[in-house]
Amino acid sequence: MIRSNQVLVTIGTACTMSAVGSTETYQALVAGTEEFLPLAAFDAGLVDLDPTAESAADAMRWASGAQAGESVTSQELTELHGDALRANSGIRHVPGVRELAPRVVTDIAAPLPHDLETVGLRRLAGLRYDDIRGSGLKDMHGLFQDDPLLSPSLQSQLFAYGALGALAGLPRSLSELVPNPFGFRVVSATAFGGMDALGQWLRPDAPLPESGIPKDTFAVRLATSLGSHGPALVSTMLAPSYSISRVLKNPALRESLRSDDVGFMRVPQTPMTAVGACASSLIALADIAPQLLFDYPGFQKPQLVLLTAADAPLQPRFGILEAFGGGALMTGEKLAAKNAAHTDGVTRSVHDSLAPFDIDADGTVVGHGGSGLLITTLEFALKNQLDITSIIVGWGQSAEAGGKAHFAGVGFGGENALVQALDMAFLGHGYGVSDFHYLAAHATGTRTNSKTDLGTAWAGLHGAAQRQRFEGPLPRLFVGTPKAVGDGHTMGETGLKAMAQALQFVLGRTAPGVPTLRRLDPDLADVAGHFHLQAEPSPGHANGGALCVTQGFGGYNGAVALRSATPEALARYACDAGELASYLEAWPTIRAEREKRERVARRSPKLALAMTERHRWVGLE
């Protein structure tokens, strides 16, 4: 029996943004509910929602135009905007790609929907210049200028939206839960640097932009080109706000940063950024987990971690579509050839062209995405009565052999990450291989990855079973993937989005299957029999287990194992008896309030700004 301070848990659910839309929109699509269109319209800025309503379809109002403020019905919304909302989200043909990048092989991609890549995400997040100028973060307004060269990059916006949106799961302000900011840490992952900025680093003889170069470009453009800029922006927004100019004029302001812990200042720990190709976010988790549990004289371990990941690889000007080439990507020509070859009259649309584990799996689709999720120890969660949504019972990472000719990370040995995660689950928590029911697969949409994906997972399960001396047939895990729902492949963010869906599964809620699966790839015949592959979503398992496994270019691999948080599960650990009893008695109310809090926050305007103003550590205002 391990102690509660040796157990990691998730708090609340992940806040995400992808080609499908925001968290609530994505979940509505997975579950197939009537809320999808109203929530998509909210993402697009067409309607305002009553965030307290049980259904997004209730009490909608037009957000702008001559009818602004007037109520709108679901039927009106569907008739006026239904086709456009569906067409402008998920995997789709993106107009103008070849004009921007003539050598690309495809125009199929998964950028953010609607206007979110230009002004919409800043609107949803509340990160426009005027938003910040009118807020408690006014001293930071210089970081949020409207000029495209000086505004936060799309990747930074994704970090801010996903990370700060995750704070909606907290019942009290972050500053109250962790009075000393040094007990808090932003832990981030990304496969690429700030790709937007590449378009700003012009060669010396390049012509100036038509609008001219704005003042003070170098420092801002340098900062936004770094993959660490988004995580640092999140951390800075939550830290006490002191502009350098104010402190230079009034040095006494700095003294107000002194904490009750003599010698330490009231600032968060430095953001941590992990770069591990497509496995980045699970590698970040594997790197921070020991720090949350580590005990050493003088070491100040984080009390609460905000795990976040974001990538905007299509920026700038879709250059990555040329780098990948036609072999790895789904193209219009491939899609047409696949449809022409089918004799049953069933054709694939561009929306379902990413088809892992299918005979049509002929390429991946690149997309943008950002996510955030809170992680802490069971001890901290019980003490502060935070809603524990899953128990992280294992994690692992590994490199691999093979695949070196093209550095594509489809070699052998990656199962070590999963074996390590399952070893932790068994030896530390008492959960064996038969206690897991769902695999959030990497599932990039190529036939090669389909084989290595299931093969690596099966090898990891089989290896762990041998180590556990497990006898009998291994369980057939249900397989799901967010990519096939319409996210596309979001690179370093993909593992955290998969973890977000695995979390839905262990909460007993609808989680994705493989919705684009129609004809199983015959090359998978041997390994597919060990898994449950279907297009329909899973209803979830409120007393179940889920695994996330990712593979990345260059041989990066990560894995995490989750189990449902139940009263019986918590009783496995050595906890303060009084705190556990008090928590279990209050848990139904704690969960209901957290669910409502997240729903209200994520359906309200200016999500990131609202969360920042509620949760930041205040300086001398």
Side-chain angles (χ1 to χ4, degrees):
M1 179 179 286
I2 58 177
R3 302 185 306 275
S4 59
N5 64 352
Q6 296 175 300
V7 180
L8 295 184
V9 298
T10 60
I11 302 302
T13 60
C15 181
T16 66
M17 178 61 70
S18 67
V20 171
S22 57
T23 312
E24 304 260 313
T25 310
Y26 184 91
Q27 289 304 129
L29 181 61
V30 170
T33 71
E34 65 174 6
E35 291 190 288
F36 173 70
L37 275 183
L39 289 165
F42 174 73
D43 291 344
L46 294 173
V47 301
D48 292 325
L49 303 176
D50 178 357
T52 63
E54 286 296 322
S55 171
D58 299 334
M60 287 187 292
R61 297 187 179 276
W62 294 116
S64 59
Q67 295 177 295
E70 295 183 15
S71 62
V72 53
T73 66
S74 294
Q75 182 177 348
E76 289 175 314
L77 180 65
T78 301
E79 291 174 353
L80 291 171
H81 299 287
D83 291 343
L85 288 171
R86 290 188 178 93
N88 290 326
S89 69
I91 295 168
R92 56 200 187 273
H93 288 292
V94 183
V97 168
R98 288 191 171 89
E99 286 75 11
L100 291 169
R103 293 184 295 180
V104 301
V105 297
T106 184
D107 65 347
I108 297 177
L112 299 186
H114 321 306
D115 64 346
L116 295 179
E117 297 214 355
T118 52
V119 297
L121 185 54
R122 293 185 75 183
R123 178 192 68 246
L124 275 183
L127 300 180
R128 294 166 296 190
Y129 182 80
D130 287 343
D131 296 331
I132 302 299
R133 284 287 286 174
S135 75
L137 277 70
K138 55 183 177 294
D139 281 347
M140 295 180 63
H141 68 272
L143 293 174
F144 298 91
Q145 296 184 48
D146 291 329
D147 189 295
L149 288 178
L150 301 180
S151 64
S153 68
L154 181 62
Q155 180 172 289
S156 294
Q157 294 171 46
L158 285 164
F159 268 119
Y161 183 89
L164 294 166
L167 297 176
L170 297 177
R172 299 184 299 284
S173 70
L174 182 59
S175 57
E176 182 181 347
L177 290 168
V178 188
N180 185 352
F182 200 60
F184 174 77
R185 194 170 195 190
V186 173
V187 174
S188 66
T190 184
F192 296 101
M195 300 292 279
D196 322 42
L198 293 182
Q200 302 172 17
W201 296 104
L202 305 174
R203 48 178 223 275
D205 60 336
L208 293 176
E210 292 181 7
S211 58
I213 296 290
K215 182 182 177 183
D216 190 26
T217 62
F218 181 76
V220 176
R221 288 161 65 200
L222 174 61
T224 56
S225 70
L226 303 175
S228 58
H229 182 69
L233 185 65
V234 171
S235 184
T236 302
M237 290 173 72
L238 291 171
S241 181
Y242 292 90
S243 68
I244 293 177
S245 60
R246 282 182 64 198
V247 175
L248 289 175
K249 294 174 184 176
N250 184 5
L253 287 174
R254 188 176 182 276
E255 294 300 308
S256 69
L257 285 176
R258 297 193 182 278
S259 72
D260 294 335
D261 191 358
V262 176
F264 285 98
M265 304 295 279
R266 293 178 56 247
V267 295
Q269 294 186 26
T270 179
M272 185 187 98
T273 302
V275 179
C278 305
S280 296
S281 52
L282 296 192
I283 288 173
L285 172 60
D287 282 346
I288 194 58
Q291 295 186 37
L292 282 157
L293 307 176
F294 181 60
D295 191 14
Y296 190 83
F299 178 66
Q300 297 265 348
K301 58 185 177 184
Q303 294 177 280
L304 187 65
V305 157
L306 180 52
L307 179 63
T308 182
D311 263 307
L314 295 170
Q315 299 284 338
R317 297 187 295 274
F318 304 94
I320 197 172
L321 300 181
E322 176 188 339
F324 264 99
L329 294 177
M330 176 51 68
T331 69
E333 291 78 11
K334 287 182 181 179
L335 183 59
K338 294 289 182 185
N339 285 332
H342 295 157
T343 59
D344 55 7
V346 178
T347 61
R348 287 189 181 276
S349 71
V350 66
H351 290 284
D352 57 14
S353 62
L354 192 153
F357 315 116
D358 194 287
I359 188 62
D360 289 343
D362 210 4
T364 195
V365 177
V366 180
H368 295 166
S371 298
L373 180 64
L374 288 166
I375 295 173
T376 188
T377 62
L378 174 58
E379 179 184 59
F380 187 87
L382 293 177
K383 178 180 179 180
N384 292 283
Q385 297 207 331
L386 309 178
D387 186 24
I388 301 167
T389 47
S390 74
I391 305 170
I392 302 174
V393 294
W395 58 86
Q397 57 179 302
S398 70
E400 63 189 33
K404 298 297 189 276
H406 43 68
F407 216 49
V410 290
F412 316 99
E415 58 264 33
N416 283 6
L418 180 56
V419 172
Q420 185 178 20
L422 291 170
D423 261 7
M424 288 186 183
F426 183 65
L427 298 173
H429 302 261
Y431 292 112
V433 289
S434 61
D435 292 308
F436 295 92
H437 314 91
Y438 184 81
L439 172 66
H442 192 50
T444 60
T446 66
R447 294 183 72 181
T448 297
N449 179 246
S450 292
K451 285 181 273 190
T452 61
D453 211 357
L454 295 184
T456 298
W458 170 246
L461 287 163
H462 188 258
Q466 290 180 304
R467 296 172 65 81
Q468 296 170 20
R469 293 183 171 83
F470 179 84
E471 295 181 359
L474 286 172
R476 292 177 67 212
L477 273 65
F478 188 94
V479 178
T481 171
K483 296 181 182 68
V485 179
D487 279 358
H489 188 12
T490 57
M491 304 299 165
E493 186 266 354
T494 191
L496 186 50
K497 183 59 182 283
M499 189 174 167
Q501 296 310 302
L503 179 56
Q504 293 292 324
F505 178 88
V506 298
L507 281 169
R509 297 178 182 171
T510 306
V514 188
T516 55
L517 182 63
R518 297 176 184 172
R519 304 171 183 86
L520 185 68
D521 185 342
D523 287 352
L524 299 176
D526 292 338
V527 70
H530 298 299
F531 297 90
H532 188 66
L533 289 155
Q534 68 177 45
E536 292 74 25
S538 165
H541 193 326
N543 189 20
L547 304 173
C548 294
V549 184
T550 55
Q551 299 173 290
F553 282 147
Y556 288 91
N557 301 276
V560 63
L562 303 180
R563 275 289 306 184
S564 299
T566 66
E568 295 74 23
L570 300 188
R572 288 172 173 255
Y573 308 110
C575 306
D576 181 287
E579 285 183 352
L580 179 59
S582 174
Y583 182 85
L584 293 179
E585 181 180 3
W587 203 0
T589 301
I590 292 170
R591 173 146 299 176
E593 291 178 347
R594 188 270 303 165
E595 290 174 343
K596 180 179 179 180
R597 196 165 49 247
E598 287 185 343
R599 183 178 70 250
V600 169
R602 294 169 186 176
R603 298 183 183 190
S604 297
K606 303 181 182 180
L607 173 63
L609 180 57
M611 291 298 99
T612 303
E613 294 205 287
R614 171 173 167 73
H615 292 285
R616 71 191 181 98
W617 289 273
V618 178
L620 288 179
E621 300 303 297

